[in-house]
Amino acid sequence: MRTRLIAVGERMPAWVAEGFAEYRKRLSHELPLELVELKPGTRGKGRDDAKAILDEGDAILAALPRDCHVVALDGRGKTWSSEDLAAQLTAWRMAGRDLAFLIGGPDGHAPAVLARADQRWSLGPLTLPHMLVRLVLAEQLYRATTIVAGHPYHRA
């Protein structure tokens, strides 16, 4: 199963890039994770934020692999514990489809992206910077693989 993280935002701070790279390396055998960074829509004075959201949505949809299972990170989505995520991972593997996680821009996902998503996942009620979401996502995917494998990384 191939896994792709499609994220709006480029040129993350070094600490985010380093942390993400560490978990990506740890995941390389159990759940290879490809990062696709997309340019944010143009925002600012005299710009239409709704157009920026739609442009980001079009770019996300264009970056999706064919026939993959799509999980949109969305504050209004379902929250999962680490154990729940491990159970989801097992189910996704059994389904045999590639997997794509989507992180939208600063204003969230376009309606078309949410409509395409097979699942919506919320990391909780806190508002997190999108750059930090990448890092949390990678760590939680690693944690889920260790739970499935019975590795002692996760101590619940």
Side-chain angles (χ1 to χ4, degrees):
M1 178 172 76
R2 294 179 45 180
T3 306
R4 182 177 285 185
L5 169 57
I6 302 170
V8 174
E10 301 173 305
R11 297 183 295 278
M12 293 295 112
W15 63 271
V16 172
E18 290 167 11
F20 183 83
E22 174 63 28
Y23 286 108
R24 186 177 181 184
K25 183 176 88 176
R26 292 181 186 195
L27 284 164
S28 65
H29 296 294
E30 292 295 319
L31 190 69
L33 181 61
E34 175 188 356
L35 174 63
V36 177
E37 293 182 309
L38 302 174
K39 184 178 179 182
T42 305
R43 289 173 173 76
K45 189 175 181 179
R47 303 284 183 174
D48 182 3
D49 288 349
K51 171 90 168 86
I53 295 167
L54 293 175
D55 290 345
E56 291 164 356
D58 290 344
I60 288 171
L61 294 173
L64 284 174
R66 218 178 113 202
D67 193 39
C68 66
H69 184 87
V70 175
V71 180
L73 278 91
D74 179 35
R76 293 171 302 279
K78 185 171 178 158
T79 57
W80 297 326
S81 67
S82 297
E83 293 84 358
D84 293 338
L85 180 58
Q88 287 289 325
L89 180 60
T90 299
W92 295 328
R93 284 179 170 163
M94 296 296 289
R97 293 169 64 196
D98 287 342
L99 188 56
F101 293 94
L102 312 179
I103 300 173
D107 299 305
H109 288 292
V113 171
L114 295 176
R116 170 60 184 89
D118 297 297
Q119 292 177 285
R120 294 183 196 183
W121 175 23
S122 171
L123 296 179
L126 296 173
T127 301
L128 299 173
H130 288 208
M131 65 183 133
L132 187 57
V133 171
R134 297 180 188 205
L135 188 52
V136 171
L137 171 76
E139 190 281 334
Q140 285 298 300
L141 288 175
Y142 175 69
R143 183 175 297 275
T145 62
T146 64
I147 290 170
V148 171
H151 186 277
Y153 177 81
H154 178 73
R155 293 178 174 92

